[in-house]
Amino acid sequence: MTEVIIVGAAGRMGQCLTSLAKADPALDLVGAVDNGERLESLKALDCPVADKLAGIPALASGAAIIDFTAPEVSLGTARLAAENGNPLVIGTTGLGEGHFAELNELAAKTPIFWSSNMSIGVNVLAKILPLLARALGEDYDIELVELHHNRKKDSPSGTALTLGKCLAGARGWDLPDVAADGRSGLVGARPKAQIGFHAVRGGDVVGVHTVYFMGPGERIEVSHQAHSRENFAQGALRACVWLAGQKPGKLYSMADML
Ligand code: NAD
């Protein structure tokens, strides 16, 4: 049985993770962490709860950790995990280059897994999109539209950027050189070497990512729609069990697990 601590347990993803972990006979929920004002909602979980990861006893005995919070919080979790040797799965998005540089260093000390999107469907999509981009060729312009709920903090979504990176790689481009984040004003004709990102925010949309390949006289749309947060949570729990059997040495991703 894999012991697991959830950080951000009272959040939208955290609630889904704790309820699935409680129902899974392969997992033992041994800690739930969130900000002080949200701890009351965690009491029904019947496991140790705390407003700091350091306050969970199973941290010292090497329990696996899953963190869906915010970039600085996840980095703090990673530092503690590296000190104590806990496997750590991070689902937080909006991390910058500096965060990844530090995560890569910490991953030398303890196994760390990060994915901007834990859904199996999106990760399979990331494998087939480069095939489409290469087969269609540069006559087909690529644009990416993503929809999320009105409380999402980062934009474009981490998933949109991950998909954009695969697509840019398939064309031999570096994403930062070709990414156009929305368009406004007199931007001129669209250059060939460009991938446009468009973020729509509203309501309670869990997550929709659509890639458009637009060529002469036709267009292809490839779309992934998340119906609930459960698919992300299931992916993160599966990653947590898998990661507990891995060695430190690299920042693992869905591609490693699948
Ligand atoms: P949310 O705001 O509902 O939940 C975040 C939780 O973290 C909150 O309960 C908040 O109180 C808690 N938190 C904040 N600071 C904390 C701290 N110092 N210690 C402990 N807890 C703290 O957000 P959400 O919708 O659950 O998303 C969380 C993150 O996960 C976001 O970055 C989001 O983009 C990402 N996400 C990733 C995936 C994926 O598949 N990788 C899927 C969905 C969401």
Side-chain angles (χ1 to χ4, degrees), residues 165-239:
K165 205 169 162 194
C166 310
L167 288 160
R171 291 265 164 105
W173 305 330
D174 276 336
L175 185 60
D177 297 339
V178 297
D181 195 1
R183 292 188 187 85
S184 175
L186 278 172
V187 293
R190 185 190 193 284
K192 273 282 155 216
Q194 188 171 77
I195 298 179
F197 290 86
H198 310 276
V200 180
R201 294 288 176 265
D204 58 358
V205 181
V206 175
V208 179
H209 292 87
T210 305
V211 178
Y212 293 84
F213 295 93
M214 291 170 285
E218 63 177 2
R219 107 179 157 254
I220 295 177
E221 298 176 13
V222 185
S223 189
H224 176 272
Q225 315 212 356
H227 295 176
S228 79
R229 291 184 172 80
E230 195 171 320
N231 74 102
F232 306 129
Q234 290 288 14
L237 292 170
R238 182 170 155 188

Side-chain angles (χ1 to χ4, degrees), residues 11-13 34-35 38 68 91 93 115-118 152 232:
R12 285 177 288 266
M13 280 303 300
D34 209 295
N35 281 333
R38 309 200 77 181
F68 279 71
T93 61
S115 173
S116 60
N117 193 311
M118 302 277 181
K152 184 160 179 66
F232 306 129

Side-chain angles (χ1 to χ4, degrees), residues 99-176:
H99 295 124
F100 284 115
E102 189 176 347
L103 279 185
N104 273 304
E105 280 174 24
L106 295 170
K109 299 184 185 142
T110 200
I112 303 182
F113 182 109
W114 177 82
S115 173
S116 60
N117 193 311
M118 302 277 181
S119 106
I120 304 296
V122 162
N123 285 282
V124 171
L125 197 60
K127 282 187 191 284
I128 62 167
L129 285 176
L131 297 179
L132 280 172
R134 275 193 293 267
L136 292 166
E138 292 200 10
D139 276 350
Y140 287 71
D141 298 322
I142 303 173
E143 298 277 313
L144 218 149
V145 178
E146 52 103 341
L147 282 71
H148 282 90
H149 55 87
N150 54 20
R151 280 163 295 169
K152 184 160 179 66
K153 295 194 178 100
D154 51 320
S155 164
S157 72
T159 304
L161 292 171
T162 300
L163 297 178
K165 205 169 162 194
C166 310
L167 288 160
R171 291 265 164 105
W173 305 330
D174 276 336
L175 185 60

Side-chain angles (χ1 to χ4, degrees), residues 8-86:
R12 285 177 288 266
M13 280 303 300
Q15 290 176 42
C16 193
L17 284 159
T18 52
S19 76
L20 288 174
K22 294 278 301 173
D24 188 336
L27 296 168
D28 186 11
L29 183 65
V30 291
V33 183
D34 209 295
N35 281 333
E37 71 272 15
R38 309 200 77 181
L39 286 188
E40 198 55 37
S41 66
L42 301 180
K43 293 217 168 117
L45 289 174
D46 193 25
C47 72
V49 299
D51 63 351
K52 298 259 179 311
L53 180 55
I56 301 291
L59 178 73
S61 56
I65 304 168
I66 302 181
D67 181 307
F68 279 71
T69 53
E72 285 306 321
V73 181
S74 298
L75 256 290
T77 301
R79 288 179 202 124
L80 264 184
E83 254 173 55
N84 289 276
N86 310 78

